[in-house]
Amino acid sequence: MEKVRVVVADDHPIVLMGVREMIERDENFEVVGEAHSSSELVALYRELRPAIAITDFNMPGDQTYGDGLKLIEYLLRNFPDTRILILTMLSTPLILSSLYDLGVSGVILKNGDLNEILVALKALAQGRVYRGPGMQSANSVLASKDDVDGRIASLSAKEYEVLRHFVSGMSVRDIALLLNRSVKTVSAQKVSAMRKLDVDTDQALLTFCVKANLFQ
């Protein structure tokens, strides 16, 4: 029987090695390529046309493909035949549910059991969407607005994306260029996120994100 072709993308070599070793335990799957950035991943898609791609959510990107939601949307739009399995440290319910809404076929948390990868791959190979134990909270956003989790859960996916890049050191103008949005739109999304998080200065915003471990 022909093996299912898989490509893996992550900017950490140790993660790549661990995922490859896990996949190679099952004779039904074959890792045909590895990528360390979004550009490399897109190149693998075009060259190899894999059946399944396992990719980190946060990766070094560029102005063409970016990473996060922008990269995922690009891959789903341009390579609809390849099923996407996200491997991530993110645990925010809104973002996890947003990934499924976009059309990814599965999400696995990096701090979970890597054996879950093979379970997910088998589900995807059978045409099913995979929701593992770590995804149970992805079905509902926290209701409380009085605690940190409640405030984070109130962020929209696009606001979260803007904050992630802002905390990494990018200016509003740089974020707008990267995400292909207007400066006015990005600025409004940042202000809206600050209001939801109940912070009123850039320093307070950075402090909140660090203390909440929002972007691990």
Side-chain angles (χ1 to χ4, degrees), residues 186-205:
V186 170
S187 179
Q189 289 166 341
K190 174 173 170 283
V191 169
S192 176
M194 292 174 69
R195 183 171 61 252
K196 291 178 179 179
L197 296 180
D198 194 24
V199 296
D200 54 9
T201 67
D202 286 354
Q203 185 58 48
L205 174 61

Side-chain angles (χ1 to χ4, degrees), residues 5-20:
R5 294 158 56 82
V6 181
V7 296
V8 184
D10 198 289
D11 57 317
H12 294 93
I14 293 179
V15 174
L16 282 176
M17 182 175 65
V19 173
R20 172 185 280 275

Side-chain angles (χ1 to χ4, degrees), residues 11 17 20 46 67 70 72 75 80 93 105 119 128 132 139 146 150 159-160 167 169 172 180 197 208 210:
D11 57 317
M17 182 175 65
R20 172 185 280 275
R46 290 175 173 160
D67 73 335
K70 181 179 180 181
I72 301 304
L75 295 176
S105 297
V119 179
R128 295 185 287 114
N139 294 319
D146 299 325
E159 289 167 351
Y160 184 96
V167 171
V172 168
N180 195 28
L197 296 180
F208 179 96
V210 170

Side-chain angles (χ1 to χ4, degrees), residues 164-180:
R164 182 165 66 86
H165 291 299
F166 177 75
V167 171
S168 75
M170 296 180 68
S171 68
V172 168
R173 186 173 299 278
D174 290 337
I175 297 170
L177 185 62
L178 177 66
L179 300 180
N180 195 28

Side-chain angles (χ1 to χ4, degrees), residues 125-156:
Q126 295 170 1
R128 295 185 287 114
V129 171
Y130 177 76
R131 286 182 181 270
M135 292 302 103
Q136 299 306 312
S137 62
N139 294 319
S140 61
V141 175
L142 297 176
S144 173
K145 302 298 180 183
D146 299 325
D147 56 19
V148 170
D149 287 339
R151 280 183 269 168
I152 292 172
S154 72
L155 296 172
S156 73

Side-chain angles (χ1 to χ4, degrees), residues 56-57 86-90 96 99 107-111:
D56 192 3
F57 185 78
I86 303 294
L87 184 62
T88 182
M89 288 294 294
L90 293 175
L96 298 180
L99 290 173
V107 180
I108 294 177
L109 302 182
K110 283 186 176 180
N111 58 3

